[in-house]
Amino acid sequence: MQQFTINKYGEVEVEQNELRYFIPIAYTEASELDELEEAYRRKGKELMDSPYYLFANNLELVRNRFCFTFQLEEMKAFHYIRQFF
């Protein structure tokens, strides 16, 4: 498993085809998991038809952080996508 800081707000863990992004609750406008899930679902509906966004398969609360879990099977790496014109 690889774990690294992605930006000043959160950390990423990668294990095989699963990526988990952790962000401290204090860095969000949400105070509870239900509130975050509702806002995330709303944004997902807005962007549903866009092929440029990947949405988490699962949201959970881990200690004082929100955790977004992404399944990456059949996905392309960022360096591959950057090759497109």
Side-chain angles (χ1 to χ4, degrees), residues 2-18:
Q2 288 181 305
Q3 183 175 13
F4 52 93
T5 301
I6 188 82
N7 57 31
K8 67 180 183 178
Y9 300 110
E11 298 172 339
V12 168
E13 285 182 359
V14 179
E15 188 171 359
Q16 295 182 343
N17 288 324
E18 183 177 273

Side-chain angles (χ1 to χ4, degrees), residues 16-78:
Q16 295 182 343
N17 288 324
E18 183 177 273
L19 181 139
R20 296 175 73 193
Y21 174 65
F22 296 90
I23 184 169
I25 295 169
Y27 292 161
T28 70
E29 294 179 15
S31 58
E32 295 187 20
L33 184 59
D34 292 343
E35 188 179 347
L36 178 71
E37 284 180 322
E38 179 59 33
Y40 196 73
R41 263 191 246 113
R42 255 193 329 270
K43 185 54 79 173
K45 286 178 185 175
E46 264 180 57
L47 300 171
M48 185 182 295
D49 295 329
S50 176
Y52 306 112
Y53 293 94
L54 176 65
F55 287 93
N57 302 86
N58 188 43
L59 296 172
E60 61 184 314
L61 185 60
V62 178
R63 292 181 298 281
N64 64 340
R65 297 166 180 235
F66 290 125
C67 176
F68 297 77
T69 303
F70 300 87
Q71 297 301 320
L72 304 178
E73 290 89 8
E74 299 181 24
M75 299 289 166
K76 301 291 184 189
F78 186 70

